[in-house]
Amino acid sequence: MPATNSDPEQARQFALEVVGRLREAGHEAVWAGGCVRDELLGRIPADYDVATSARPDEVREVFGRRRTLAVGAAFGVITVLGPRGAGQIEVATFRTDAPYTDGRHPAGVTFSTAREDAQRRDFTINGLFLDPVTGEVHDYVGGRDDLKAGIVRAIGVPAMRFGEDHLRMLRAVRFAAGFGFALDGETRAAIERMTHLVTTVSPERIAAELRAMVSRTGRRRALELLDETGLAREVLVEVAPAEDGATADREAWGQAARIVDALDEPDLATALAVLFERAGEARLRQAAARLRLSNRELKLACWLLDAVAAIGNAGGAEDLAKRPWSQVQPWLAHDDAFLLADLLRARADCGRGAADAAAWVTAQIARPKTELDPPPLVTGSDLMAAGIPEGRALGAALAALRAKQLDGEITSREAAIEWARK
C-alpha cells in the first residue's frame, strides 16, 4: 500500500500503471478491496490494491526485483514500489486460503480465480473488483447491493470469517461506524457470540484498530457499537460498562463517546483520557500496558487526565483567572496545551465543564510565548555560584523562584539571587 505521504493523484496513476503493465504481460489484473469500495462511494481511496492472475514470481519479473518486495510472497502478495510521491501497491495473486490456525493467517494458499478469491475476503463491500480502464465492476459476493443499502455483511458464514481472523470483528465495527452503515443481523450476532476471541489478537493490532476508530468520522458510533456488541468489555475491559452494569456506567460511556465525537483533534491518547476520566490513571496505565501503547501515547493520555483534574472542572473563567498564575501556567505552556484546549471545549459542548473556562484556556494558550512562558530569571548555575549547594535544596529553590516569577513577586535576576541567599 502507498506511503501515507503519497500524493492521491500520483498513487492513482501508479495503480493504473501496475494494472496496465500486468495486462501487457498477458495477465489478468484489477483493482481490489477497499479502493473499489471507496471509488463506488465517491471517496478518494486511501490506498490501492491490485489482484491478478500472475504468480508472485511473475509479478517480480514484470516489475523487476529492485522495485518489488517479497515479504508476503508466501501468501501470494508482492509489494511493488512506485516512483517518489506514488507510494507502493500490494499486488496479490487470486487465491483461496487453507484453514486459519492462528486466528490471523491461513496455513497455506492455493492460487485460483477472481471469483474464488472474492469468497475468501472479509466483507461483501470489500470483496469487489474493478477494471480501472473500463470502469466495469466484478461483484461475486453482492457487495454493490450492500453498498447501496449501507450494510456491513460478512462474506459467507460470519462465524467462519471471524474464526479465520478475529480482528475482523473490530474491523466490522470500524467500517459500520466510519461509513454510517448498519451491521447485518447475522454478522452482528456472530460478533456478539465470539467477542472473547478478540483477546487472542495481538495487542498492537487491537490498538491500531482503536486508533482508526477514535480518530475518524463515526467515532461516537464506533464506541457505542463496541459497547453494544460486547467488544468493549474485551478490548477496554478496565473501563467498559459491564454487560448488566449500572445505568450510570453506561450513561458515562455514552457521554464519553459524545465528547470524543466533539473533538477537533481526535487521537487515541485524548480518547483514552476521556474514557478513563472516572476510572483514573491507574486503570489507564493498565490498559496502556496491555495494549502496548507507545510511551508518547501513555504520557499524553496521563497528562491530559491530570490536566482535566487540575483545571478542567473549574467553576468558570473567573475561577481560573483568580488562581495564582504559577498554578495554571505549567498546563497552558505545555507543548500539548492545544489538545487540552480542544478537550475542554469538547467536554463543555457535551455538558461537562464550563464553556467560559474552556474559552479562557483557549485564549491564554494563544498568547505570545514570551508572555506565556518567559525564560527563568535564574539557572541552577546562578544559584550554585551564589552559594546554594547542588541537591534537593537547589531544585526546591528553582521551583519556588519560578513560581514567584510567574506570579510577579520577583521580577529580576538580582532579586531572585538575593531571595535564594536568604
Side-chain angles (χ1 to χ4, degrees), residues 262-282:
L263 293 168
D264 289 333
E265 301 285 345
D267 61 17
L268 182 56
T270 309
L272 290 177
V274 174
L275 290 168
F276 282 81
E277 185 175 338
R278 294 173 75 233
E281 184 175 323

Side-chain angles (χ1 to χ4, degrees), residues 358-402:
W360 183 86
V361 169
T362 299
Q364 296 305 310
I365 67 173
R367 291 166 58 184
K369 184 174 178 59
T370 53
E371 294 181 12
L372 186 61
D373 192 23
L377 293 172
V378 292
T379 66
S381 298
D382 293 330
L383 296 189
M384 284 190 288
I388 298 177
E390 186 175 3
R392 291 185 179 180
L394 180 64
L398 285 171
L401 281 170
R402 180 61 171 169

Side-chain angles (χ1 to χ4, degrees), residues 95-166:
R95 73 176 200 247
T96 56
D97 292 339
Y100 286 61
T101 57
D102 62 356
R104 180 179 181 183
H105 296 118
V109 300
T110 301
F111 299 134
S112 59
T113 65
R115 180 181 294 276
E116 291 171 311
D117 185 84
Q119 302 298 324
R120 57 116 186 147
R121 295 175 179 262
D122 53 5
F123 306 107
T124 60
I125 61 173
N126 295 337
L128 299 166
F129 300 118
L130 171 68
D131 183 328
V133 178
T134 66
E136 181 182 2
V137 176
H138 304 283
D139 182 5
Y140 305 109
V141 293
R144 296 193 77 174
D145 289 341
D146 284 343
L147 273 180
K148 292 177 182 177
I151 295 174
V152 174
R153 184 194 315 274
I155 293 174
V157 180
M160 291 181 62
R161 296 288 81 79
F162 297 138
E164 290 167 348
D165 186 345
H166 311 324

Side-chain angles (χ1 to χ4, degrees), residues 11-358:
R12 183 182 184 84
Q13 289 302 316
F14 179 50
L16 281 167
E17 176 192 331
V18 169
V19 167
R21 292 276 300 277
L22 287 167
R23 289 181 176 180
E24 289 171 3
H27 306 293
E28 182 182 355
V30 289
W31 287 355
C35 64
V36 180
R37 176 200 67 220
D38 291 346
E39 285 273 326
L40 296 179
L41 290 174
R43 300 179 176 219
I44 298 175
D47 52 62
Y48 293 85
D49 292 316
V50 170
T52 181
S53 60
R55 302 296 177 92
D57 57 339
E58 294 174 325
V59 174
R60 301 201 76 183
E61 288 178 7
V62 171
F63 296 99
R65 292 186 175 272
R66 294 183 63 182
R67 289 189 58 192
T68 56
L69 302 175
V71 176
F75 300 100
V77 180
I78 296 295
T79 300
V80 181
L81 306 177
R84 183 181 298 275
Q88 57 194 43
I89 289 177
E90 288 189 351
V91 178
T93 306
F94 296 134
R95 73 176 200 247
T96 56
D97 292 339
Y100 286 61
T101 57
D102 62 356
R104 180 179 181 183
H105 296 118
V109 300
T110 301
F111 299 134
S112 59
T113 65
R115 180 181 294 276
E116 291 171 311
D117 185 84
Q119 302 298 324
R120 57 116 186 147
R121 295 175 179 262
D122 53 5
F123 306 107
T124 60
I125 61 173
N126 295 337
L128 299 166
F129 300 118
L130 171 68
D131 183 328
V133 178
T134 66
E136 181 182 2
V137 176
H138 304 283
D139 182 5
Y140 305 109
V141 293
R144 296 193 77 174
D145 289 341
D146 284 343
L147 273 180
K148 292 177 182 177
I151 295 174
V152 174
R153 184 194 315 274
I155 293 174
V157 180
M160 291 181 62
R161 296 288 81 79
F162 297 138
E164 290 167 348
D165 186 345
H166 311 324
L167 190 73
R168 286 173 173 169
M169 292 184 282
L170 290 176
R171 285 169 56 83
V173 167
R174 174 162 62 84
F175 289 135
F179 294 123
F181 286 4
L183 281 174
D184 159 67
E186 292 184 10
T187 300
R188 178 167 179 151
I191 293 173
E192 292 172 352
R193 290 195 309 270
M194 302 172 70
T195 54
H196 62 285
L197 293 177
V198 79
T199 58
T200 66
V201 176
S202 73
E204 293 85 355
R205 295 180 78 208
I206 292 175
E209 284 297 319
L210 292 176
R211 284 188 194 95
M213 286 183 199
V214 302
S215 63
R216 300 176 185 176
T217 300
R219 49 190 174 272
R220 173 180 175 180
R221 185 56 183 153
L223 290 170
E224 291 172 345
L225 278 174
L226 286 177
D227 176 33
E228 293 171 11
T229 59
L231 284 167
R233 292 186 286 279
E234 303 294 340
V235 298
L236 289 170
V237 61
E238 296 84 359
V239 71
E243 184 173 5
D244 56 351
T247 301
D249 291 339
R250 186 142 281 112
E251 289 177 349
W253 180 273
Q255 186 184 47
R258 292 191 294 275
I259 292 172
V260 171
D261 191 51
L263 293 168
D264 289 333
E265 301 285 345
D267 61 17
L268 182 56
T270 309
L272 290 177
V274 174
L275 290 168
F276 282 81
E277 185 175 338
R278 294 173 75 233
E281 184 175 323
R283 289 191 178 183
L284 171 56
R285 288 184 176 277
Q286 289 175 1
R290 183 174 50 76
L291 293 170
R292 298 179 188 168
L293 302 187
S294 68
N295 290 335
R296 161 66 180 166
E297 283 178 319
L298 172 59
K299 186 176 180 180
L300 176 56
C302 290
W303 180 81
L304 287 169
L305 202 63
D306 292 342
V308 167
I311 64 175
N313 296 313
E318 185 177 355
D319 176 22
L320 285 174
K322 287 180 178 178
R323 296 184 187 184
W325 182 240
S326 59
Q327 291 184 9
V328 295
Q329 186 269 355
W331 304 107
L332 305 179
H334 193 276
D335 288 342
D336 294 306
F338 72 100
L339 292 176
L340 172 61
D342 183 34
L343 174 52
L344 295 180
R345 177 204 51 76
R347 291 172 81 254
D349 287 350
C350 297
R352 187 183 294 178
D356 64 337

